[in-house]
Amino acid sequence: MTAAESTLEAGEGASGLRTAVRIRGLSKHFGSGDQRVQALAGIDLDLYAGQMSLIVGPSGCGKTTLLSVIAGILNADEGEASIFGQDVVKMSDRAKTRFRADRIGFVFQQYNLLPALTAAENASIPLVIAGWRKAPAVQKAAEVLAAVGMGKKLWSLPSQLSGGQMQRVAIARALVHDPHLLVCDEPTAALDHDTGITVMELLREKVVRPDRAVVVVTHDNRVFHFGDRIAHMDDGRVVEIEERNGRSAL
Amino acid sequence: MSWIALKMLVGDRAKFFGIVIGLTFAAALITQQGSIFCGLMLRTCAQVTDVTGADLWVMEPSVRFIDDAKPMLESNLQRVRGVKGVKWAVPLYKGNGRAKLTFAPDAMKEKTFPPDRLARDREREQAKQSAAPSNVFTKVLDLVVPDVDSAPTPPARWYSPGLVNVIEQVILLGVDDASMVGAPPGGPMLGAEPRGRMWVGSLEDLRRPESIVVDRVGLRKLFPGCHLDEPFTDPPESDEAYLERLRRFIASTPEIEMNDHRAIIVGVCEATRTFTSNPVVYTLYSRAKQFIPMERKMLTYILAKTADDENGAKAPAAVVADRIQKQTGLGALTSEAFMYRTIKYYLIYTGIPINFGITVFLGFLVGTAIAGQTFYNFTIENIRQFGSLKAMGASNSRIVGMILLQAAVVGTLGYGIGVGLSTLFGFKTLDRWGNPTELAYFTPWQLLPTTAVAIVFICVLASLISVQRVIRLEPAIVFRS
């Protein structure tokens, strides 16, 4: 199934937006016996393409676990998590690996750039994973880096970049293979206030597109106003969904 | 992904060099200790490898190694000559003799040293006389335990420069009087072609009465303090000057006493160093029998050459050896088989292989520990990066491929540098003419693949341990801060 077909198959929400992420009855626990922790307790949630969705809540409420399941890097115990019509819960590990490589872009709290690679090389990694040769992959990555304002730092190593610059490289890396879902885990947590705001503005302006959903996990309430849809979590449950009308990128 | 793996590998230079150094150490130690072991084993059969021209060694059947010479009746020589396929057979005496001599080192130096060297040598000797003998160990001892023995240590005067009595065990080789088969190749060691193994004198000189030829290195033991066994190094002595010194030595008609018989040294040859490091003395078979106490049986070995068969083709030595064994009841081996029989004796009946084996094994263990641990740590420290790659869609097989590539690169580098260093070490131990010195060092080609297998094992082991951690790694690790 192509990305376009997946998008078409995804349903439409009440607002008329395409449903990018559809979660029903999703549960996940860690440990056993006395050590058992219920990280997700039957979550129902819809997130839409063309929006920046925020998952917020206190530490330990299960927001990163939910993001991991959505991204297909953690198996849920039960429930359904459809990403543009494809249920990642039911996928085999091999299919999930392929799905992540094709459809999902990642932005990590700690950037997770490879220290030995330059900015352009780091940003090219998803293309290399997809089978591109080095030279065209780096060329494409350089173009994306230029689009996020890092055109002058293409050949810098991560150790030569500031936190904000490294997060821009991470965003370029997440976008380089044109994914349909961008998952961002605490993208501003390691940044100062101003840099965090700049990064969120970049995500809003350059990343949110009608055919792409952006899911940001954060507990930084200074950036809540960037979200179109905010899912508040507590104790493994979504306790409130906050719509911010008029902020849609559509 | 290969370029990413390589950049990850060399990106942290300290760790990269740490792994390579560990593997280099392991490869160098295995190759070096293995080469010393092989060199030592070759020395056990030095007389077998030094004999040229003969295809077969015939001996008493219970002989287990070259030095285990058991005498046979002289008539056996005729019996071997009568075996079909034997072109010729000659006697060889091999045994231990005792050389006695009395000589004056100072007088010998006056005869052989050039005047300027003699003056410098006298100054040095005087300085030695006036200084209290010490070495690095005694200096450390004095430092650790001060004021206990303030008096200078008396010199260990084991010989007087005026007069020395030497009694030395030598390896005596008596070669066939007529053909001289078993003697070193007769040409000069240096200079004119064709090259042989004679430094000074010639094999024909052995036909002179009471004559013997001794090996160059053996001169150190027979004429201590005269520096006849090698050129001077400070300042370096040219080959020609050294040869001239040896010529003067031979011209002085040096003599030793063997079994109350006078033996005059008429030549100096090059011989493969022996396991026991005793001087090697060559003489004629008939004379060798006078140089040792008389026994009823004196013939220790028969050297034989195979003849062409009826079709004009050379008969295989092993076939003729088998024929000799069946017809005469004697033991007969090809030179190569006798060499390996000697080596096997040392491998089975001495502790040398165990002692060396432990050293090589320890080198292997230390190398494995250093390289394996460093490589494992390297992978574990990169686990988050591998987790990122997995999260972004890199499959386990690709990650494993990256780790194996990294292991292959450090393994190849470690092996190459280690074997290179070891070979360099081997070259450094040779003297200026390419002969082995005190350190026996021989690297057979089989040692190189053996070392490679050991290094591959180290890398595979380290990789497997690392890889299973990466395979079990949940990519969700990347969302943990």
Side-chain angles (χ1 to χ4, degrees):
Chain A
M1 186 184 296
T2 64
E5 287 166 346
S6 299
T7 308
L8 290 172
E9 279 192 12
E12 288 193 358
S15 56
L17 296 172
R18 294 190 184 93
T19 306
V21 179
R22 183 173 186 273
I23 293 169
R24 292 291 179 271
L26 198 68
S27 294
K28 174 71 182 174
H29 77 273
F30 295 105
S32 59
D34 294 342
Q35 304 295 316
R36 183 183 168 97
V37 176
Q38 192 72 35
L40 301 177
I43 288 184
D44 295 326
L45 179 66
D46 288 323
L47 303 173
Y48 300 107
Q51 285 193 341
M52 179 182 281
S53 304
L54 270 51
I55 300 173
V56 303
S59 292
C61 70
K63 53 188 189 296
T64 297
T65 303
L66 177 60
L67 189 72
S68 300
V69 174
I70 292 171
I73 57 175
L74 188 66
N75 294 325
D77 297 338
E78 57 185 62
E80 175 191 331
S82 287
I83 314 298
F84 289 101
Q86 289 186 277
D87 190 353
V88 290
V89 176
K90 293 195 175 95
M91 280 183 194
S92 67
D93 284 346
R94 184 185 288 261
K96 245 185 255 185
T97 301
R98 179 104 190 225
F99 181 77
R100 290 199 301 270
D102 292 344
R103 305 286 173 81
I104 299 179
F106 291 86
V107 177
F108 307 109
Q109 178 181 341
Q110 297 297 331
Y111 328 122
N112 288 359
L113 302 178
L114 302 192
L117 305 190
T118 63
E121 288 168 341
N122 261 296
S124 73
I125 287 175
L127 296 176
V128 177
I129 290 172
W132 286 43
R133 295 182 67 80
K134 184 185 176 186
V138 172
Q139 176 63 36
K140 172 87 187 291
E143 291 167 13
V144 180
L145 277 169
V148 297
M150 288 292 290
K152 290 180 180 171
K153 296 281 185 181
L154 297 179
W155 313 115
S156 300
L157 292 170
S159 57
Q160 297 165 324
L161 301 175
S162 67
Q165 288 171 326
M166 280 196 276
Q167 199 59 296
R168 282 172 184 262
V169 175
I171 290 169
R173 181 181 63 187
L175 295 175
V176 74
H177 59 310
D178 201 17
H180 287 126
L181 176 65
L182 200 77
V183 292
C184 310
D185 180 46
E186 306 276 10
T188 61
L191 306 174
D192 61 61
H193 176 261
D194 291 344
T195 312
I197 296 297
T198 308
V199 165
M200 289 304 288
E201 283 173 351
L202 180 70
L203 283 172
R204 269 217 70 85
E205 289 167 14
K206 305 279 185 184
V207 181
V208 177
R209 285 192 339 208
D211 61 343
R212 179 186 290 150
V214 179
V215 183
V216 180
V217 160
T218 183
H219 65 267
D220 183 357
N221 55 16
R222 297 168 303 178
V223 301
F224 282 5
H225 61 280
F226 285 99
D228 300 303
R229 185 174 172 82
I230 304 174
H232 292 265
M233 286 185 70
D234 196 12
D235 205 15
R237 291 184 174 80
V238 175
V239 292
E240 182 190 350
I241 293 178
E242 188 181 343
E243 297 278 0
R244 296 208 168 201
N245 294 328
R247 295 298 306 270
S248 169
L250 286 173
Chain B
M1 304 279 285
S2 305
W3 63 271
I4 296 178
L6 295 177
K7 280 214 157 188
M8 283 173 76
L9 180 66
V10 300
D12 189 334
R13 288 191 185 158
K15 287 199 187 76
F16 172 65
F17 287 126
I19 303 167
V20 172
I21 287 169
L23 288 165
T24 299
F25 176 75
L29 204 58
I30 293 168
T31 314
Q32 191 231 32
Q33 290 297 313
S35 297
I36 292 173
F37 177 68
C38 292
L40 207 55
M41 286 296 102
L42 268 187
R43 286 191 177 181
T44 64
C45 50
Q47 273 86 55
V48 182
T49 52
D50 273 1
V51 167
T52 54
D55 300 328
L56 295 170
W57 286 68
V58 184
M59 64 205 81
E60 207 276 335
S62 62
V63 168
R64 294 169 297 174
F65 59 106
I66 178 83
D67 293 328
D68 187 31
K70 290 164 182 164
M72 306 175 279
L73 286 172
E74 300 268 343
S75 57
N76 282 317
L77 183 59
Q78 303 307 326
R79 295 172 68 203
V80 172
R81 282 175 177 159
V83 175
K84 187 185 168 194
V86 173
K87 188 176 183 182
W88 50 252
V90 294
L92 177 76
Y93 176 81
K94 184 192 179 301
N96 290 324
R98 191 172 295 117
K100 294 182 190 174
L101 69 152
T102 302
F103 82 107
D106 278 353
M108 179 63 80
K109 286 179 187 174
E110 276 177 27
K111 286 177 193 166
T112 56
F113 280 24
D116 59 327
R117 186 79 64 168
L118 188 64
R120 201 176 304 129
D121 182 73
R122 282 191 178 142
E123 278 171 26
R124 237 177 244 169
E125 284 296 323
Q126 277 174 358
K128 257 193 219 169
Q129 304 278 335
S130 57
S134 71
N135 63 17
V136 66
F137 300 107
T138 60
K139 280 173 186 162
V140 169
L141 187 65
D142 289 343
L143 202 67
V144 176
V145 191
D147 304 328
V148 173
D149 181 14
S150 52
T153 312
R157 296 294 299 276
W158 67 277
Y159 80 92
S160 151
L163 202 64
V164 174
N165 285 311
V166 174
I167 301 176
E168 194 66 46
Q169 194 86 357
V170 297
I171 296 168
L172 181 63
L173 290 163
V175 301
D176 180 45
D177 289 32
S179 64
M180 292 197 194
V181 170
M189 186 76 188
L190 301 176
E193 299 288 343
R195 291 280 170 86
R197 304 199 83 182
M198 293 298 294
W199 286 97
V200 288
S202 78
L203 284 182
E204 288 305 312
D205 293 333
L206 276 181
R207 300 195 189 284
R208 286 157 51 189
E210 301 170 331
S211 59
I212 59 170
V213 168
V214 297
D215 79 306
R216 174 179 61 89
V217 178
L219 292 176
R220 182 184 306 175
K221 283 191 167 182
L222 291 174
F223 295 92
C226 296
H227 216 286
L228 291 164
D229 56 302
E230 59 185 2
F232 293 111
T233 51
D234 181 28
E237 187 180 26
S238 69
D239 286 356
E240 187 48 45
Y242 174 58
L243 274 175
E244 183 54 35
R245 214 151 45 84
L246 286 181
R247 280 189 207 110
R248 283 200 290 265
F249 165 69
I250 293 298
S252 71
T253 58
E255 59 183 60
I256 61 175
E257 181 191 313
M258 294 187 72
N259 193 27
D260 293 333
H261 286 77
R262 188 167 73 151
I264 302 169
I265 301 172
V266 295
V268 177
C269 69
E270 185 70 25
T272 303
R273 289 188 186 228
T274 60
F275 189 68
T276 54
S277 77
N278 287 338
V280 181
V281 172
Y282 287 94
T283 191
L284 298 183
Y285 181 74
S286 57
R287 196 173 300 134
K289 289 196 286 188
Q290 298 167 5
F291 285 163
I292 48 158
M294 192 60 192
E295 290 180 44
R296 191 167 66 87
K297 298 177 183 177
M298 299 294 279
L299 179 64
T300 42
Y301 292 105
I302 298 169
L303 300 175
K305 181 87 173 172
T306 55
D308 297 345
D309 61 16
E310 301 82 20
N311 304 321
K314 192 170 170 58
V319 173
V320 179
D322 192 45
R323 211 177 284 157
I324 293 171
Q325 284 186 45
K326 282 179 182 156
Q327 286 186 27
T328 64
L330 298 169
L333 293 169
T334 62
S335 300
E336 192 180 25
F338 193 32
M339 184 183 88
Y340 282 113
R341 175 178 283 193
T342 299
I343 289 173
K344 277 182 183 171
Y345 172 83
Y346 281 88
L347 291 177
I348 295 168
Y349 295 106
T350 70
I352 300 168
I354 296 171
N355 291 304
F356 263 92
I358 289 170
T359 310
V360 175
F361 184 67
L362 279 178
F364 178 72
L365 274 188
V366 171
T368 307
I370 295 173
Q373 178 70 26
T374 318
F375 190 74
Y376 177 73
N377 283 349
F378 171 76
T379 308
I380 295 309
E381 282 167 23
N382 285 332
I383 203 100
R384 199 176 178 86
Q385 298 177 17
F386 286 122
S388 301
L389 294 173
K390 281 183 85 167
M392 286 187 275
S395 62
N396 273 335
S397 59
R398 296 185 82 169
I399 304 269
V400 169
M402 290 173 72
I403 292 172
L404 289 179
L405 176 68
Q406 291 172 339
V409 168
V410 291
T412 306
L413 282 174
Y415 172 76
I417 299 171
V419 168
L421 285 177
S422 175
T423 308
L424 197 65
F425 175 81
F427 275 120
K428 280 292 190 188
T429 63
L430 298 176
D431 64 19
R432 67 161 86 168
W433 305 292
N435 300 310
T437 52
E438 277 78 5
L439 186 70
Y441 202 91
F442 172 66
T443 310
W445 67 266
Q446 292 91 339
L447 193 57
L448 302 181
T450 305
T451 308
V453 167
I455 297 301
V456 166
F457 176 79
I458 293 172
C459 292
V460 167
L461 187 72
S463 304
L464 284 180
I465 298 170
S466 311
V467 157
Q468 52 94 21
R469 281 288 302 268
V470 173
I471 288 175
R472 287 190 308 191
L473 173 71
E474 275 202 27
I477 186 178
V478 292
F479 282 156
R480 292 175 203 143
S481 54

